[in-house]
Amino acid sequence: MALRRCRIHKLSPTLTGKKCVSSTQSAVRTYYSIHHPDPAPFPPIQAQILSTALKNVPRLGFSRDALLSGCRENGYLEASAQLFPRGVYDLIHYYLVTQRLALKEKVQFQQDAKLGLTQKVKTLTWARLQANVDDGIIEHWQDALGHMSLLENIPASLKELGNLSDEIWYLSGDTQVDFGWYTKRAQLAAVYAATETFMSTDRSKDYADTKEFLDRRLGDVRVVGGTVGGAMSYMGWIAGNGLGLARSWGMKKDAEQQPNNLVGISLFGNQDEVEAMSRLKKKLSSMRNNRS
Amino acid sequence: MASRLLLRPSRALAASSAGISPTRALSSCARRLQQSQSPEEDGRTTHFGFETVPEAEKEARVGKVFSSVASSYDTMNDLMSLGIHRLWKDQFVRSLNPGTRTSSPGNAWSILDIAGGTGDIAFRMLDHATNINGDLHSKVLVSDINPDMLAEGEKRSLQTPYANTGRLDFKVGNAEKLDFVESDSIDLYTVAFGIRNFTDKEAAIHEAFRVLKPGGVFACLEFSHVDSALFNMVYKRWSFGAIPLIGQVVAGDRDSYQYLVESIEKFPTQEEFTGMIEKAGFMVPGKGYENLTGGIASIHKGIKP
């Protein structure tokens, strides 16, 4: 940890030629590698203060008091809260990031278990929602949602939601690389956001209502996805039929071959007349070519 | 032609009448050369606006500028920033949120306001701590290198409720060498619109690092560089064109105002200054600065680890 701090201190705007990576941001890596562990998401002092503050959230809520208690209990001054320019939102952001990263340790799928993709996604999503309960912050989650929906915080909140959705799909073993990558993550993000909002007001035993809500939402996704897919293939079938019909009426692929005045005949006349006229025209044009 | 011939003999006449030898120019050069090699000057220079001056001289010249504007400091600020400096100072104090809600003599904040002669920031800090955080014990020590500015501040403090309460103290001192402040004794060190006048900014920042407690905050509000190139053009026309003229007309002191706009121009950019703060050992939150009014002023913060 100290070594990393030293390395970061050496970076200066003149050397790198671009915006200086401040010592409070961890070294920003623009790639992801499974062979090298990710750098810590938060600098050590901030992480220390925020983790203590998080332990006090069940008692104090997501408030400035929790943040200050984190500072005080680690032996820092109340003035040290200046480390968090976004105030309480920094605490909420810390919670979101650490819970997302903890999913990997929390849910381990057995290699031999024949679980479908949907089942894995459901397990991971429920594990993340359960974490809200285990940490005791679900009573204060409405305050947190309020903070996350402030205009200056919306981009960061949406980014974290996208990251969570991505993490869940990745951990469940999704390997799709076409456009479905985007649609699946967008759908899961929407489902998760709706379920978490519902959970913040749920008073049922063991959050059974929330679990049913999640099942219904994931079922909707399956049904809607299937319906949309079915509708697309139906439209495709209709379009294919229409094309065949047009071809049978004399529509040719090559526009040169199609005579100008045969358009009217092709709509109102019969097939034989159309074919006879087109053969005649072809003969005339070949005679013209031979002569020239 | 004829006039030139006329002039030359008259100058020679004047010289001879004054009893000055024709080789005076050379000897005075030699004298100035000797002066520049005197032990006080070791050749280090710094900028005083756009002028380059020896470091030893800058302090005295800045002192002269501020002594001359001490009584009309507010007018000067109002003119330079069209009154917006009050909003900047309010935002500065509000974002620092001095004072503690669980106030007791034990955990009171001890705030050091540097170059805060007239007390603008100090009074705002105490008001915020007292009225918003309910903290009746936090205190502010105001220090300035210029006794005139400090006297102005003391005069104004009599109008505030903090005058003789022991929560407000005034001391003359050099920010680069704060002998009267112990190490690790200050919660919050602020300097508003002062650091661009310091001869050695890095020394001041290092001194701030020394006097702050671990976890303490260094906060600096200063004129800085504007983000957008278009707005910058307009802003520079205003600065260099209008401000010295207004100074001339209103305060009768064009040179001080000229110095002030030039010193803004010479101040390092936001990123450079953040680098200087980090080099002294501070941790910088986020990107380290917050631009106000598009970058005309900016708040820099650092926390001692």
Side-chain angles (χ1 to χ4, degrees), chain B residues 73-85 88 196 223 235 238-239 243-244 246 256-264 296:
Chain B
Y73 187 65
D74 275 343
T75 322
M76 189 188 79
N77 275 343
D78 279 332
L79 290 171
M80 286 188 74
S81 62
L82 303 177
I84 303 174
H85 70 104
W88 292 335
R196 74 178 185 280
F223 284 109
Y235 174 60
W238 161 258
S239 292
I243 290 184
I246 296 174
S256 300
Y257 287 74
Q258 185 68 31
Y259 159 72
L260 287 165
V261 293
E262 288 176 359
S263 64
I264 294 173
I296 298 183

Side-chain angles (χ1 to χ4, degrees), chain A residues 5 9 13 19-25 45-46 64-65 72 75-80 82-85, chain B residues 95-97 99-102 109 187 213-217 271 278 282-287 301 303 305:
Chain A
R5 277 260 295 279
H9 270 296
K19 209 152 122 144
C20 173
V21 174
S22 93
S23 60
T24 56
Q25 300 169 17
I45 294 187
Q46 272 92 318
R64 201 173 160 73
D65 288 339
R72 270 198 307 269
Y76 290 100
L77 307 170
E78 285 201 4
S80 308
Q82 289 298 317
L83 276 169
F84 310 111
Chain B
S95 76
L96 285 171
N97 201 5
T100 164
R101 294 244 178 91
T102 56
W109 287 38
D187 287 78
K213 294 180 195 168
V217 175
E271 280 80 15
E278 281 178 317
F282 287 103
M283 281 192 314
V284 147
K287 57 184 173 148
K301 287 189 191 155
I303 291 104

Side-chain angles (χ1 to χ4, degrees), chain A:
Chain A
M1 271 314 180
L3 202 63
R4 185 171 292 128
R5 277 260 295 279
C6 287
R7 197 168 67 228
I8 292 165
H9 270 296
K10 283 216 186 83
L11 284 171
S12 79
T14 48
L15 275 178
T16 58
K18 49 183 187 267
K19 209 152 122 144
C20 173
V21 174
S22 93
S23 60
T24 56
Q25 300 169 17
S26 44
V28 171
R29 219 168 56 180
T30 52
Y31 61 90
Y32 171 75
S33 167
I34 57 173
H35 301 294
H36 303 282
D38 284 333
F42 296 96
I45 294 187
Q46 272 92 318
Q48 194 186 2
I49 295 178
L50 290 172
S51 65
T52 317
L54 217 49
K55 291 199 184 70
N56 291 329
V57 163
R59 184 170 47 97
L60 300 169
F62 283 104
S63 65
R64 201 173 160 73
D65 288 339
L67 209 57
L68 294 175
S69 74
C71 289
R72 270 198 307 269
E73 286 172 25
N74 281 303
Y76 290 100
L77 307 170
E78 285 201 4
S80 308
Q82 289 298 317
L83 276 169
F84 310 111
R86 296 181 297 191
V88 174
Y89 183 73
D90 275 329
L91 181 56
I92 298 168
H93 183 256
Y94 176 81
Y95 178 73
L96 291 173
V97 172
T98 47
Q99 285 306 325
R100 169 170 61 86
L101 295 173
L103 266 180
K104 194 162 64 174
E105 314 299 325
K106 255 188 207 159
V107 179
Q108 304 279 357
F109 294 116
Q110 304 303 321
Q111 288 285 58
D112 50 353
K114 295 276 191 290
L115 286 170
L117 205 62
T118 321
Q119 187 56 37
K120 286 188 185 169
V121 165
K122 198 192 282 190
T123 314
L124 282 159
T125 314
W126 185 248
R128 175 61 185 85
L129 289 166
Q130 186 66 30
N132 285 352
V133 177
D134 295 337
D135 290 339
I137 61 108
I138 192 67
E139 300 97 50
H140 306 288
W141 197 243
Q142 284 185 317
D143 296 337
L145 286 171
H147 275 283
M148 291 185 337
S149 63
L150 288 174
L151 205 60
E152 62 262 22
N153 296 332
I154 285 177
S157 311
L158 288 175
K159 188 158 180 271
E160 263 316 300
L161 181 61
N163 284 345
L164 177 65
S165 169
D166 186 29
E167 185 83 13
I168 292 177
W169 273 111
Y170 177 78
L171 290 174
S172 57
D174 173 44
T175 49
Q176 187 175 8
V177 293
D178 61 5
F179 202 75
W181 192 94
Y182 295 96
T183 57
K184 286 205 295 221
R185 276 151 183 78
Q187 284 165 349
L188 183 60
V191 164
Y192 179 81
T195 315
E196 201 176 43
T197 313
F198 179 87
M199 196 178 184
S200 64
T201 60
D202 188 11
R203 298 277 173 267
S204 62
K205 191 171 173 341
D206 287 338
Y207 297 93
D209 285 351
T210 307
K211 200 155 194 173
E212 283 171 26
F213 184 92
L214 179 63
D215 288 340
R216 282 200 301 272
R217 291 286 78 74
L218 289 173
D220 282 348
V221 163
R222 208 172 29 248
V223 164
V224 168
T227 311
V228 167
M232 293 290 278
S233 57
Y234 178 70
M235 298 290 277
W237 184 81
I238 294 279
N241 274 8
L243 207 63
L245 195 68
R247 285 210 185 103
S248 72
W249 283 350
M251 186 194 83
K252 296 281 196 294
K253 258 198 240 173
D254 192 352
E256 216 178 76
Q257 286 179 2
Q258 187 173 41
N260 297 341
N261 58 355
L262 281 179
V263 172
I265 300 171
S266 67
L267 281 175
F268 300 110
N270 63 22
Q271 183 69 14
D272 297 327
E273 276 179 20
V274 165
E275 279 180 4
M277 285 298 280
S278 64
R279 275 201 299 269
L280 187 62
K281 278 237 167 173
K282 254 189 252 172
K283 221 180 228 166
L284 283 167
S285 61
S286 64
M287 277 168 65
R288 226 178 287 132
N289 289 341
N290 286 344
R291 211 173 289 155
S292 62

Side-chain angles (χ1 to χ4, degrees), chain B residues 57-74:
Chain B
E57 225 182 275
K58 177 161 178 176
E59 207 178 288
R61 292 183 72 168
V62 170
K64 261 212 305 251
V65 167
F66 279 93
S67 292
S68 74
V69 303
S71 56
S72 60
Y73 187 65
D74 275 343

